[in-house]
Amino acid sequence: MWRRRSTTEQRTRVLIIVENLLVPLDRRVWQEACVLRDAGHEVTVICPRMRGYTQAEEILDGIQIYRHWISDEARGIRGFFEYSTALWGEMRCALKAWRRGRFDVIHLCNPPDLLFLIALPFKLLGDVKVIYDVHDLWPEMFEAKFGKRGLLYWAVRLAERCTLALADAVMATNQSVLATVKQRGNKSADEVFIARTAPNTLDTNAPVDVGLKKGKRFLVGHIGVMGNADGAHYLIEAAQHIIHTRGRSDVQFLLIGSGPEHAELVRLRDSLGLANSIDMPGRVLNEFLFTALQTMDLGVACDPINDYNDYNDHCTMNKTLEYMAFSKAQVMFGTREGRFSAGDAALYVMENSAALLGDAILELLDDEPRRQQMGVLGHERLTTELSWSRSIEALRKAYARAGGWVR
């Protein structure tokens, strides 16, 4: 059991750095920060200013947050300009946090794996411990986005190696990631811990809004980032197959989320004549998201099976767990960690085919008892084997390994 530190004990001061999303929108990072706060630690988070959160500094629920400017998310190699602007902002915020009270632990949340550049001087000069929180395997993500290996790919591999060498403890999101970082970083079993990304703050009692179905019988939903490695175009093409090829007019689609490919995906939808059948509102408030999850009849995770590397095989997708939290059956391409996470709660398509994805969607829509049973199984799995309480224990062990926890 963890215990809260008494007021007479010195509090561990934790600095969390995350670049690819802000808090509190990054659910994993925010949940970790809240757990650390509740255990008596003093928590500061550095993240970008984006998506409507423009305050440079604020204290939210007892957690100090510093936000820095970051360039717009770029596609292709130009994305490295985003990393350089982020590093500059992160270092400035880290120095500000150090002057205000220093810190004992730096908790690095990738991607990218360049954050070791921020932690290195503090570790060398200030006896600071480093925890590396691996959300994604950045080299595999890089290759999945650009489809090739080159000089920049090997630079990314070097950055990952440097971060692993700097880390006193490593947290991985699943078994696949754990096995990879153990091998690449030559880490022992007592240095690496699995802390799965499990939702614990979703409003599963949100109301149903039948208006989202636009008068149709079924609502098929997709939530998540819309980037070139996320496969949302497969669902749009599957909708064309369902509506135009299979002749079904009783299905409405709702694709929630933003990202660098959102505008292009909207153009694809419109070019296929599907504007009235697919709603794509972009980023939404939690209230809308929870209502949508409550209303949808089926969720879809169309992150493709990668042909040239196994990036998506290593990923535990948030959308998969969120569908399970709301007891929704789902259809997905059969990635390794996707199959592990969803278990019997999903119907798997084992090749990247929009037509087969569309056929699988109709198969479940037309079998309500099967959908209901899959939803029940998914919810049970999420609240037992994949529960957030297990991740809390892994977080505690990682901090204890780094010497940053009172036991």
Side-chain angles (χ1 to χ4, degrees):
M1 289 292 293
W2 296 5
R3 64 183 178 87
R4 182 181 290 275
R5 294 168 182 257
S6 72
T7 55
T8 60
E9 290 178 309
Q10 182 180 357
R11 305 170 71 193
T12 296
R13 296 156 299 183
V14 178
L15 177 69
I16 301 176
I17 306 177
V18 57
E19 180 177 319
N20 70 328
L21 195 56
L22 60 89
V23 294
L25 294 185
D26 190 318
R27 187 185 67 221
R28 176 185 175 89
V29 175
W30 186 244
Q31 288 179 186
E32 289 172 341
C34 291
V35 168
L36 293 166
R37 174 206 62 198
D38 291 345
H41 300 317
E42 183 178 320
V43 183
T44 300
V45 180
I46 295 174
C47 65
R49 289 204 304 258
M50 60 195 318
R51 302 190 184 184
Y53 288 82
T54 59
Q55 288 181 271
E57 296 184 31
E58 72 169 318
I59 296 177
L60 183 61
D61 295 342
I63 295 170
Q64 175 70 56
I65 301 172
Y66 295 109
R67 297 192 180 97
H68 58 85
W69 179 81
I70 189 171
S71 66
D72 291 337
E73 185 173 15
R75 298 168 59 184
I77 301 300
R78 289 180 302 162
F80 277 83
F81 178 67
E82 172 197 339
Y83 298 142
S84 65
T85 61
L87 285 171
W88 171 249
E90 288 153 1
M91 181 57 78
R92 291 178 66 247
C93 291
L95 289 171
K96 184 182 295 185
W98 184 259
R99 289 194 298 267
R100 285 192 174 181
R102 306 205 169 199
F103 32 83
D104 306 299
V105 177
I106 300 181
H107 183 143
L108 304 177
C109 304
N110 87 333
D113 288 333
L114 299 173
L115 301 180
F116 79 93
L117 295 170
I118 308 299
L120 181 59
F122 296 102
K123 185 175 178 67
L124 293 177
L125 301 176
D127 192 29
V128 172
K129 302 298 184 181
V130 175
I131 292 178
Y132 177 28
D133 193 349
V134 188
H135 296 187
D136 290 290
L137 293 173
W138 196 39
E140 280 76 3
M141 173 186 283
F142 181 91
E143 188 180 8
K145 286 186 175 182
F146 301 122
K148 62 180 180 180
R149 295 187 178 186
L151 182 61
L152 282 176
Y153 169 82
W154 293 108
V156 165
R157 283 290 298 268
L158 177 62
E160 178 191 56
R161 184 66 187 87
C162 290
T163 310
L164 286 166
L166 192 69
D168 297 284
V170 179
M171 297 195 306
T173 54
N174 55 50
Q175 185 64 45
S176 297
V177 172
L178 179 140
T180 300
V181 297
K182 280 180 65 178
Q183 179 184 20
R184 290 180 182 170
N186 194 27
K187 294 292 185 181
S188 62
D190 63 346
E191 295 176 288
V192 183
F193 307 88
I194 295 179
R196 296 186 179 277
T197 304
N200 75 332
T201 57
L202 304 182
D203 181 10
T204 54
N205 294 314
V208 171
D209 181 2
V210 295
L212 296 176
K213 296 188 176 186
K214 302 296 180 67
K216 299 174 184 176
R217 180 181 177 186
F218 299 114
L219 179 66
V220 174
H222 173 278
I223 56 179
V225 175
M226 296 187 183
N228 59 0
D230 300 289
H233 66 282
Y234 283 109
L235 181 54
I236 294 175
E237 293 164 0
Q240 180 192 33
H241 174 75
I242 289 170
I243 295 168
H244 294 160
T245 304
R246 296 289 300 272
R248 296 289 292 264
S249 59
D250 58 345
V251 185
Q252 182 70 21
F253 296 85
L254 176 60
L255 280 63
I256 297 174
S258 61
E261 300 295 321
H262 184 268
E264 186 171 328
L265 290 168
V266 170
R267 287 192 291 270
L268 174 63
R269 176 200 67 180
D270 295 346
S271 70
L272 296 176
L274 299 173
N276 292 327
S277 299
I278 304 177
D279 289 317
M280 300 177 64
R283 182 175 61 88
V284 301
L285 296 176
N286 279 342
E287 291 78 8
F288 182 93
L289 173 64
F290 299 151
T291 291
L293 283 162
Q294 195 79 285
T295 305
M296 67 179 61
D297 298 283
L298 184 69
V300 178
C302 44
D303 307 272
I305 302 167
N306 298 122
D307 296 327
Y308 39 82
N309 74 1
D310 55 356
Y311 167 63
N312 281 337
D313 273 333
H314 289 296
C315 295
T316 300
M317 304 300 178
N318 285 340
K319 63 177 75 70
T320 293
L321 303 176
E322 288 163 353
Y323 299 147
M324 294 163 70
F326 282 80
S327 302
K328 302 298 179 180
Q330 56 192 295
V331 172
M332 67 169 66
F333 290 125
T335 59
R336 183 193 312 148
E337 285 296 334
R339 296 197 306 272
F340 175 85
S341 295
D344 294 330
L347 177 60
Y348 302 103
V349 178
M350 297 309 297
E351 62 178 279
N352 298 332
S353 165
L356 292 179
L357 185 69
D359 290 339
I361 289 170
L362 289 180
E363 180 180 335
L364 284 188
L365 288 180
D366 293 335
D367 191 344
E368 183 173 357
R370 184 181 177 191
R371 287 203 322 274
Q372 296 296 330
Q373 179 63 19
M374 292 169 73
V376 169
L377 292 173
H379 187 267
E380 290 177 351
R381 180 167 175 74
L382 181 65
T383 54
T384 53
E385 185 172 353
L386 305 180
S387 70
W388 177 243
S389 62
R390 295 195 176 193
S391 295
I392 292 176
E393 180 63 17
L395 179 67
R396 183 194 70 80
K397 290 179 179 178
Y399 269 76
R401 167 71 191 187
W405 201 276
V406 171
R407 287 176 285 182

